[in-house]
Amino acid sequence: MKVNLIKMCAGAMLPGAMLCSFNASASDNGMLTDYSKFPTYNGDDLELIADKQGAKFTLWSPEATAAQVLIYPTDRNSSPTDTIIMSKGDNGTWKANFPGNNYGKFYTFRIKHGGKWLKETPGVWAKAVGTNGERAAIVDFSATNPSGWESDKGPAIKSINDAVIYEMHHRDFSMHPSSGVVNKGKFIALTENGTKSTLGDKTGIDHLKELGVTHVHILPSYDYNSIDETQLPSNNYNWGYDPLNYNAPEGSYSTNPANPSARITEMKQMIKSLHDAGIGVVMDVVYNHTANNDDSNFSLTAPGYYYRYRPDGTYSDASGCGNETASDHQQMRNFIINSVKYWAKEYHIDGFRFDLMAIHDTETMNEVAKALKEINPSIFVYGEGWTAGDSPLPVERRALKENVSKMDGIAVFSDDIRDAIKGHYSNAADRGFATGKPGNEETVKIGIVASTAHPQVDYSKGNNSKFAYATSPKQIINYVSCHDDLTLTDKLAKSMPEASEAARQRAARLAQTIVFTSQGTPFMFAGEEVFRDKKGVHNSYKSPDSINAIDWSLKSKNADQFRYYQELIKLRKAHPAFRMTTADEIARNIVFDKVKEPNLISYSIKNNANGDNWNEIKLIFNGSDEARDVNVGKGKWIIIAQDGEIKADGLGETKGGKMEVAPTSALILAREK
Ligand code: CA
């Protein structure tokens, strides 16, 4: 995620330094409020249910002494036509009815709290909003569906390990003049077929199909705060980790932010287009904090309730963004669960990536995964298993990487494999296994076995983790870079400044070969397949398009790099041996060879693992800049990867025995018996 205050990252969590656990905040009289005693409401009809006969409003606001709904004719710059007094309902709710066909109108809530009327808010459950998300809209959702939506479905997968995830920002992907896309930076950019770069290469959705990824993970696409939707021609850029309205799409990605239906329809069109191409959509969700504190929609509907506080009554800040939400408070937990269910049902979302997931408690995450699997067993959930600061939530309750074994159906990013392969994320010059620095071998092996217990992996030598924290490979996302921190291209430029670009591309190939052949689920940052960079900017959350947009002329310049990634993905998808689903299978089928040299790993995946047609796959990774000799069992092997080249169907054959592994490269061999 981004951030205004500090840069956030892996390893930022502070185990052991926990504060006392409490469930309270400072109230107006200075006493702490015990939120566990508050009534809660778990209905899915909160805030607005509308049809042609009328609108029914239900606002959860247990401490309000009065509440109103204001009806507006437009999304801004107008006065209310009606002010409706709400009456107190059950379970901390306030209710009001507004008869008649009100489609096209806008509304806000206003509550009286502590003796004064608070500012207006669209509420926390606005499913449609106008410009800048200031007012919620009454929309006929059945009219927002693109044609064929009723039969729209994402790809079915048996296990998260079958996914190949591609992390993408809407503007990065289509904004560059070379993209050939008409609707640049918009949701509907991904509905354009047949787009080409100025040099004739496929771009847009055709590029994704050509690459072969199974899922696109889109950076935050709910309505966020930082982009002024009245000023879209100024072309501001933001990652979007500053949530405003969690249940409505972002306006700047639509063609008309003032039209609440447009953003909904266009996002659905994008999803349908990806689904029609066989590609799933993972949404990045940021329930851990809000853009604003006292002025957030949470604070204006139920002041104090949705956040955690320090003993002195100030906002605690495990997000590094000024506040943290309280998933351990029942109504916040309900909110998160109902919100992801809503996106899964209304938008057919196929997966969720939780930002700073360890701010949430494991119980909430378990309920999230369970609720989503009930809707669609192919939906998967993963997240950042760390926080960006300390939290009042006890360490043992946090959805940390180290606690992933307590969570069913949740995966975490492996900062182990990430840092071990390329060097430390925050030290630009630091090198890793693939760039010749010794001492990372055991941590790469931890990555290969998806952080599960393996008789030949010594966790005491792990750089980031000292125990096998995963009980299943379904709990691990492997990667070497993402939107955060330097791109792989920039990391290689800064850590191997004397090397040629060709040498750096070799290192990138080796790095991603380790990721894509490891157990767990592979994840890559958009554009690395064409060796995109971000001009050395590591925290580009609000950098202009000139830093963030992918230059698609690179696809021609780095055509060999693209083909390598394409074949690597093809290899993984064709061979279930890389996608084992239990820790036992991994322990039984993966056998590491004894090697003496640093920056060398050699192992086999044996026994037709996970039903593979290959009896044995031999993988040798040489991260040094010297060739290494290895001994491979004699027999007929297919050469899959060698000396910086790869072909899923084979580059040729060898009889094994003594073989040379070229500098900074992978040697992959396979045999059917
Ligand atoms: Ca917005």
Side-chain angles (χ1 to χ4, degrees), residues 482-500:
C482 64
H483 70 279
D484 269 322
D485 310 322
L486 293 169
T487 62
L488 186 55
T489 306
D490 286 332
K491 172 69 173 171
L492 295 170
K494 286 187 190 272
S495 60
M496 37 195 317
E498 76 297 345
S500 66

Side-chain angles (χ1 to χ4, degrees), residues 131-133 222-227 229 244 249-252 263:
T131 309
N132 285 335
Y222 52 72
D223 183 35
Y224 59 80
N225 188 54
S226 49
I227 300 294
E229 296 175 5
L244 189 59
E250 162 60 14
S252 66
R263 56 178 89 191

